[in-house]
Amino acid sequence: MLQILVVALLVTWCAFYALWTLMLSAAKKKIAVALLRYRLPAALADALRRHASAASGCGCDGCDRAPKPAKLASGDTPISFHPRRLR
């Protein structure tokens, strides 16, 4: 009986993790804001706050940390190409 309970909890957790990982960023933000209304453990609340305040639409955490590109005199932003790193 204990083995069935452990397996059920493990499968449920894996399904939740896969759903959360594959979910759109906007949906994660709405769910995080809704869950933050409740009293949660500090570690969980911190993780949800990070998702609730995500500014980028793509879900990556690196884009919003990049320095802002310089503006040209005409007001346009220059295009910069980054070479692909070969492994």
Side-chain angles (χ1 to χ4, degrees), residues 12-81:
T12 303
W13 174 253
C14 290
F16 172 75
Y17 179 77
L19 180 69
W20 184 260
T21 302
L22 297 173
M23 191 180 301
L24 296 175
S25 182
K28 283 183 190 179
K29 187 172 186 174
K30 285 183 182 182
I31 291 172
V33 168
L35 287 176
L36 282 173
R37 295 181 186 146
Y38 302 105
R39 179 173 286 180
L40 300 169
L44 182 60
D46 290 340
L48 287 175
R49 275 190 206 96
R50 191 178 58 217
H51 284 290
S53 65
S56 64
C58 63
C60 65
D61 294 332
C63 298
D64 55 348
R65 295 185 193 152
K68 299 291 182 196
K71 294 272 185 178
L72 298 176
S74 64
D76 295 334
T77 304
I79 297 175
S80 59
F81 294 97

